[in-house]
Amino acid sequence: MNRLRSALAELPRPPWSDGAVLRRLVAVGLLALAAVLALRGDPADRRTEVVVAARELPPGHTLGATDIRTVGRETAGLPEGFAGDPAAVLGATLTGAVRTGEILTDVRVVGPRLAAAAAGTPDARIVPIRLADAAVASVLRAGDRVDVVAAEEEGPADHAREERPRRTAGADTARPVRVLATDAAVVLVSGADGPRDSGAQVVLVALDARHATAVAAASLRTALTVVFH
């Protein structure tokens, strides 16, 4: 046993077993790590300029220069579609109320991105309509899903019927209706949080391009209403 210990003691020691060499290796490793961190930078310092609300704003408000400001926010936590340039939102209409300091995104203002997100189709359009019954508009809110219905416009047959004797009480005298679009998304009701003005109140709905055209055309010649889902 003593001979084995003596033989092991006489073996050459590896360089790394020397304390001085080991300290040098650790120092070199720390320097390399410091260089990597310096080049990478502190993640907390990665900030991006974004547009936020300068004060609390109501739905339907048109954004002006005093309503917004730019601030730096951590890039990693920014929402998709954020506005980085004030020019991108100046003059835009808000779809809902915003808090002071809230980041403005492309779905917070009326525009193509909002239409596509609300209607679920890339060719979506936003159509303004005035409802025949102002009371219906007063209970609508952004996010409601509705069917848009129109009363059939009068034709020659309708005029002929007017010349006939009136129907007896209890007869079905309801005017025929037509469903113009189903599952439309309400994106804004003007004046939803303010005084009601039935003559000026407008409802914006998001629809695919084909139904949007039909609703817009019908709104020029006949009364419209909506059916809630």
Side-chain angles (χ1 to χ4, degrees):
M1 181 63 70
N2 291 333
R3 290 179 180 178
L4 179 60
R5 289 177 179 175
S6 299
L8 292 174
E10 293 175 359
L11 291 174
R13 299 172 63 189
W16 51 264
S17 64
D18 189 346
V21 173
L22 182 60
R23 287 193 296 272
R24 291 193 185 97
L25 290 175
V26 172
V28 171
L30 291 175
L31 286 173
L33 178 61
V36 170
L37 292 176
L39 292 174
R40 179 184 176 186
D42 187 352
D45 291 337
R46 295 181 181 177
R47 303 176 74 81
T48 300
E49 290 290 310
V50 297
V51 181
V52 302
R55 57 190 180 88
E56 290 194 7
L57 300 169
H61 182 78
T62 300
L63 293 173
T66 59
D67 300 321
I68 59 177
R69 59 191 177 92
T70 57
V71 298
R73 294 284 174 85
E74 291 187 13
T75 304
L78 293 179
E80 184 179 353
F82 70 89
D85 182 3
V89 294
L90 277 175
T93 301
L94 290 174
T95 60
V98 297
R99 295 286 190 182
T100 303
E102 182 176 338
I103 298 175
L104 298 178
T105 65
D106 51 5
V107 296
R108 297 294 277 156
V109 296
V110 176
R113 181 66 182 88
L114 171 64
T121 177
D123 70 339
R125 303 288 187 270
I126 293 177
V127 183
I129 58 176
R130 282 189 173 88
L131 301 184
D133 188 348
V136 176
S138 69
V139 296
L140 281 174
R141 292 292 181 271
D144 287 343
R145 311 296 293 200
V146 298
D147 297 339
V148 182
V149 179
E152 288 285 10
E153 52 269 26
E154 286 188 353
D158 297 303
H159 291 293
R161 281 195 295 268
E162 289 178 0
E163 297 174 359
R164 297 173 184 173
R166 292 182 178 275
R167 296 181 181 180
T168 58
D172 182 10
T173 59
R175 190 176 180 182
V177 297
R178 181 163 50 103
V179 177
L180 297 173
T182 60
D183 200 32
V186 177
V187 298
L188 177 67
V189 181
S190 66
D193 289 352
R196 301 292 179 184
D197 182 351
S198 59
Q201 198 164 7
V202 176
V203 178
L204 301 186
V205 295
L207 296 162
D208 64 85
R210 182 171 65 88
H211 288 97
T213 302
V215 170
S219 68
L220 299 176
R221 63 178 183 269
T222 187
L224 300 181
T225 190
V226 295
V227 178
F228 291 77
H229 281 210

